[in-house]
Amino acid sequence: MAAKLTPLEIMAKLISFPTVSRDTNLPLVDWVQEYLSSHGIESHRWVDPEQPHKAAVFAHVGPWEEGAVVLSGHTDVVPVDGQPWDTDPFTVVEKDGKYFGRGTCDMKGFDALAIWALVEAHTQGVIRPLQLALSFDEEIGCTGAPPMIEAMQQVLPKGSAVIVGEPSMMQAVTGHKGGTGFATHLVGFEVHSSLMHTGVSAIMQGAKLIDWANQQNSANMAKEPGEVQAMFTPPWTTCHVGMIEGGTAHNITAKDCRFMMDFRVVPGESPGDWEAAYLQKVREVEADMQAIHPDARIDVSKHFDVPGLVPEQNGEAEALVRRVTGDNGSHVVSYGTEAGQFQQAGYSAVICGPGDIAQAHQPNEYITVAQFDAGHDFMRKLVEKLGGYFPLP
């Protein structure tokens, strides 16, 4: 049997794989499976048939029965392109009480701790089973989790309490906004810009949709939030365009314009209603475009749809995390996670992981040594609980 690695050694290995969402994560998955196998743990992978260079990996230790605690993380990270890093992003560097590296915070730090806990639970023996679930493509809209969750249930006994280890400063987060995003492609009609009234600029027409988003944000900001909405920061639904591309030259009306329109929806409002409102505005702008040239159009497709995490009454996952951490506060977040997808699939779900979300996606991303150690302490206590040393919730 191979030597056990420490959580820090595991994190350093995971971060050495540059699993940016646009690239493969298979070398990381290969390593995880080989490491688990070296400790007698069978694992499984689900390969995306549309992206065979990407896979999820999951495993089960303990009694072969339902009711496992599931440790859920994702393997992909955001790009480092154009960011002013002081160190190699894919090498863990310790300095000033912090571990620097892409994914230390979001969220290979938690992944490493979860892998460590799975090996410890298998070695020590547990009364209640523990599962590991590592997805892909979380950073581009949580698109890899739903097929992974379905595949897990076909291979493993179904777990009951999911701990999604997104950075929460080890607090029990019981709710987050839902999110939905729409890939938007405007097709205009090219003419010389001196005759722009006879052409259709896809960029200038797209600006109408982006300005609509600005107007919605202003209106939402001015509303008085309800009691539940007031728990979020900000306490309103946000409409956002993060990237835009199009055009060929400064003196040609743009033939194409592409962007993603994203919505982060507070509880009490329907993502479906926001979708309908956006599509209505799209059709209005498209009608203006086609009044100039009949071939102009706007194509819209849903890119992602992430359900919100709804606070549970007497939630099993929440109770377990609170028992381990001692945290009795009420916490919600505005970022989206895979927790709502597990919840929709019939699991109790909570978010609890080391690190501060403010460090995620940043140049010189880091997790403090103290937070990583707090995550390690959490996993030690969790394994002890599953082993029967403490009452289970």
Side-chain angles (χ1 to χ4, degrees):
M1 184 172 292
K4 291 182 183 177
L5 300 180
T6 66
L8 178 58
E9 290 170 333
I10 297 172
M11 179 172 69
K13 188 66 180 180
L14 296 180
I15 286 175
S16 72
F17 297 105
T19 52
V20 176
S21 302
R22 64 183 175 230
D23 300 322
T24 183
N25 72 336
L26 293 185
L28 182 150
V29 171
D30 289 341
W31 183 85
V32 170
Q33 291 198 283
E34 290 168 4
Y35 181 69
L36 294 180
S37 178
S38 72
H39 291 284
I41 299 173
E42 180 184 12
S43 61
H44 309 268
R45 73 169 64 190
W46 182 84
V47 178
D48 186 345
E50 297 182 2
Q51 303 180 98
H53 61 294
K54 295 182 180 181
V57 59
F58 44 89
H60 176 110
V61 299
W64 194 256
E65 61 188 30
E66 296 187 350
V69 174
V70 184
L71 301 176
S72 165
H74 59 81
T75 61
D76 59 318
V77 295
V78 297
V80 300
D81 307 21
Q83 292 187 332
W85 282 75
D86 296 330
T87 61
D88 178 359
F90 300 108
T91 299
V92 174
V93 175
E94 181 179 358
K95 182 181 179 181
D96 300 329
K98 303 170 183 175
Y99 296 124
F100 292 89
R102 174 56 89 223
T104 49
C105 177
D106 185 18
M107 60 180 301
K108 289 181 177 179
F110 176 85
D111 294 347
L113 293 166
I115 292 169
W116 178 88
L118 195 77
V119 172
E120 285 299 307
H122 180 67
T123 302
Q124 296 181 22
V126 286
I127 295 172
R128 182 177 181 179
L130 183 67
Q131 292 180 357
L132 173 73
L134 301 180
S135 69
F136 60 92
D137 282 358
E138 190 274 348
E139 295 291 4
I140 60 174
C142 297
T143 57
M148 177 192 70
I149 295 168
E150 182 178 355
M152 286 174 62
Q153 295 181 71
Q154 296 173 4
V155 177
L156 306 180
K158 185 173 181 178
S160 59
V162 178
I163 302 172
V164 176
E166 294 282 359
S168 73
M169 298 295 288
M170 297 310 301
Q171 295 177 329
V173 171
T174 59
H176 67 65
K177 292 182 180 181
T180 187
F182 300 90
T184 305
H185 177 202
L186 293 92
V187 180
F189 181 70
E190 292 177 307
V191 299
H192 193 282
S193 61
S194 64
L195 299 172
M196 63 176 292
H197 67 289
T198 64
V200 179
S201 169
I203 291 177
M204 296 185 73
Q205 295 294 329
K208 295 179 181 179
L209 297 177
I210 296 173
D211 186 56
W212 174 86
N214 288 328
Q215 295 173 21
Q216 301 308 306
N217 286 330
S218 296
N220 289 345
M221 192 182 307
K223 294 178 183 176
E224 186 69 27
E227 181 179 353
V228 174
Q229 296 168 345
M231 297 173 65
F232 291 85
T233 304
W236 60 79
T237 293
T238 56
C239 315
H240 179 253
V241 174
M243 296 177 64
I244 185 170
E245 62 178 15
T248 53
H250 75 92
N251 58 353
I252 304 174
T253 55
K255 176 67 178 296
D256 295 288
C257 179
R258 292 180 172 86
F259 56 82
M260 191 79 65
M261 181 68 73
D262 295 349
F263 300 90
R264 293 185 184 271
V265 183
V266 292
E269 295 184 7
S270 165
D273 288 345
W274 278 102
E275 177 180 359
Y278 180 55
L279 293 180
Q280 178 179 343
K281 185 62 181 181
V282 165
R283 298 286 80 87
E284 291 176 9
V285 173
E286 184 180 57
D288 291 343
M289 295 167 64
Q290 291 178 344
I292 301 171
H293 197 283
D295 292 339
R297 69 180 193 278
I298 305 177
D299 299 326
V300 176
S301 61
K302 185 176 291 186
H303 183 67
F304 67 87
D305 191 7
V306 181
L309 175 64
V310 181
E312 303 169 2
Q313 282 289 103
N314 303 314
E316 179 188 357
E318 175 186 352
L320 175 60
V321 166
R322 292 194 186 284
R323 187 165 297 187
V324 176
T325 63
D327 174 29
N328 292 315
S330 297
H331 311 287
V332 299
V333 294
S334 293
Y335 59 82
T337 78
E338 297 169 338
Q341 293 168 325
F342 274 100
Q343 192 176 63
Q344 280 198 338
Y347 297 79
S348 174
V350 69
I351 301 166
C352 184
D356 185 342
I357 192 62
Q359 304 307 323
H361 304 183
Q362 297 295 308
N364 299 319
E365 177 183 348
Y366 68 83
I367 186 171
T368 64
V369 173
Q371 272 293 296
F372 192 68
D373 289 346
H376 191 187
D377 185 58
F378 174 91
M379 292 300 179
R380 277 195 294 261
K381 291 178 180 178
L382 176 64
V383 172
E384 288 177 348
K385 283 184 176 294
L386 300 182
Y389 299 111
F390 295 91
L392 298 175

